[in-house]
Amino acid sequence: MSWDRGYYSEGSYTSHFYRELAPGWIDFSLLVKGQQPPRSKDGAPFSYLEMGCGMGLSLCLLAATHPEGEFVGIDFLPDHVAHANGLASELGLSNLRVLEADFINLQQDGSPLGLSAGHSGHFHYVTAHGIASWVVEPVQQALLAVAAAALKPGGAFYCSYNTYPGWLGLTAFRQLSELERERHDPCSPELAYRAAATTLAALLGQGKETTALGQMLPKLHDELARLPWHEPNYLTQEYASQGWAPLFVADMHRRCRKHKLRFRASATLPELFDEFLIAGLRPSVLQETNPDIRQTLLDLATNKSFRRDLFVYGDVPLTPQRRNAALSELPVRLQETPPLDHYRFPTSFGDIAGNDEAYRSLEAALVEGPLSLAQLQEATGLPEQELLPMVALLLHRQRLGLDRGEAAHEASETCRKANNTLLRRIREGEAINHLAAPAIGSAISFSPLEALTLEAQTGGLTPTNAAACVLLELSASGKELLSEEGNLLKDPEEQQRRIEEIGFNLVHQRLPQLRSLDVFSSM
């Protein structure tokens, strides 16, 4: 096998930020399930390893928002490592280093990570987003072995991966696209995916002429229709690796246990609460006591396609009293305003409809500033068993953030400088769409269109002239403008109105929100 061990290495992956990789998010998820987090408290020093860090955007944003942490990223693609180190240097991050390394080689010699045979590692957190089900099995085993060796006892391992049954339909697309790639120009892989999607859609049939395949996979039509909207880089990184193989959850959990990694929670917050499961499914799932069977039943019942699992290297369960005490001290803050008309939460368990009045009351209590869960409970009168799931759903919807309090102050200046650099790179056309938010120890989305609009407005232009300048920039870069519903806008007047709407929202909602999260100082 070649140096890439079957992983697609002909192009770079897209840059993204994944909020579930943030230390505070991992700590909260473990606490909800009664597990001691790796850190004694927020703001305490820690070490963090991301395996397969890609272009490094997530790692850089976390390093910027957590100056008390020491961050290490590893990736085996030189393009990724070069980009990540270049970004870290330009952002002025001194607490981050990115290494070019191969999991199998690290399993044999962990010294580049400061690991020695027979001794526990020193990392509080190890994360691997979107790696495990895209690599051949020997590499996957090496990934798990290195993760376990790198963790200190009590440390947490985040591992996300594609799962069955949710990927059953697209397994057919992946097989067909692999065959199509063999006969298409390797420089234009999107042609192979387009051909595979078109052919497979025809095989499904429609309406009264739905075929046997279409009857078996009724949702595949919609999944195929979404494929053209993905970037070519995403499609190749998702489907082109030889090791592409979604897993049933029990198989993954068994493989992790062989390396002393025990499943304890999901980083997808709604999945931490059994009461969110549809009532008719609860007896079949919740009465099962075998953990592997129970998780399998849960995935089957919800047609799960992706898991964000949290494992621990050394189980430290909390008593209910200690767990509740730790949660009661946890501070949260508003992240999105104003209140919603209706509080509905899309989750892997289906859409959850909340009590609008209760959610508005909860958010209103936070208007004046962050509160601990104990203070929030006192302000709202909500019982704990209701408050905690509500907070989790609002965090999931990004209405709330986990407040860092004093720990955020050390990061403010670094983050502001970093955000100025990120804004410049966004305006220059780089595929970045997040800015560091030190107040919540995470990042917040900021689109290229917002970045261009901000630049035009801070130049002292009127809203009309600013919108005209943004349209010229879009035209020069060959980018198209979409409506709020996602439809292509071609009429010049409609384009002008859309840009002015974005500008108005930026001034009156987004900028105040971003200032409150310490993303920007006054501007």
Side-chain angles (χ1 to χ4, degrees), residues 329-333 362 365-366 369-376 379 403:
E329 296 173 0
L330 190 77
V332 294
R333 64 181 300 135
L362 189 157
L366 294 165
L371 295 175
S372 69
L373 293 193
Q375 292 169 327
L376 191 56
D403 183 68

Side-chain angles (χ1 to χ4, degrees), residues 38 57-58 70 90 155 204 206 212 250 312 333 371 374 381 383 405 459 461 484 502 520:
L57 180 62
S58 267
E70 289 295 328
E90 192 170 353
L204 295 173
Q206 278 188 317
V312 295
R333 64 181 300 135
L371 295 175
L461 298 177
E484 195 170 0
I502 292 170
F520 295 133

Side-chain angles (χ1 to χ4, degrees), residues 28 269 273 275-276 343 345 352 354-363 373 376 380 382-397 399-400:
F28 175 74
L269 299 186
F273 300 91
E275 59 263 38
F276 291 153
Y343 286 79
F345 304 91
I352 297 173
N355 181 313
D356 294 336
E357 184 177 347
Y359 278 95
R360 288 195 195 99
S361 172
L362 189 157
E363 291 187 345
L373 293 193
L376 191 56
T380 60
L382 291 166
E384 180 198 345
Q385 62 269 25
E386 293 182 20
L387 178 66
L388 185 59
M390 290 172 67
V391 166
L393 285 175
L394 289 168
L395 287 166
H396 177 71
R397 182 74 184 270
R399 298 286 303 174
L400 300 185

Side-chain angles (χ1 to χ4, degrees), residues 163-166 168 248-249 277 281 285 292-305 307 348:
T163 57
Y164 291 127
L168 284 171
F248 280 105
V249 58
L277 189 62
L281 297 174
V285 175
D292 285 343
I293 297 177
R294 179 168 171 155
Q295 292 299 315
T296 300
L297 293 176
L298 186 64
D299 285 8
L300 292 172
T302 57
N303 195 36
K304 186 74 65 61
S305 61
R307 290 187 68 105
S348 59

Side-chain angles (χ1 to χ4, degrees), residues 107-166:
Q107 184 182 14
Q108 298 165 352
D109 176 14
S111 59
L113 297 176
L115 309 180
S116 56
H119 295 82
S120 297
H122 55 274
F123 290 97
H124 295 78
Y125 304 91
V126 175
T127 61
H129 181 84
I131 304 294
S133 55
W134 287 264
V135 294
V136 295
E137 191 165 342
V139 176
Q140 182 193 95
Q141 291 296 339
L143 162 67
L144 301 179
V146 173
L151 283 168
K152 62 181 297 182
F157 175 48
Y158 166 100
C159 185
S160 63
Y161 54 98
N162 284 344
T163 57
Y164 291 127

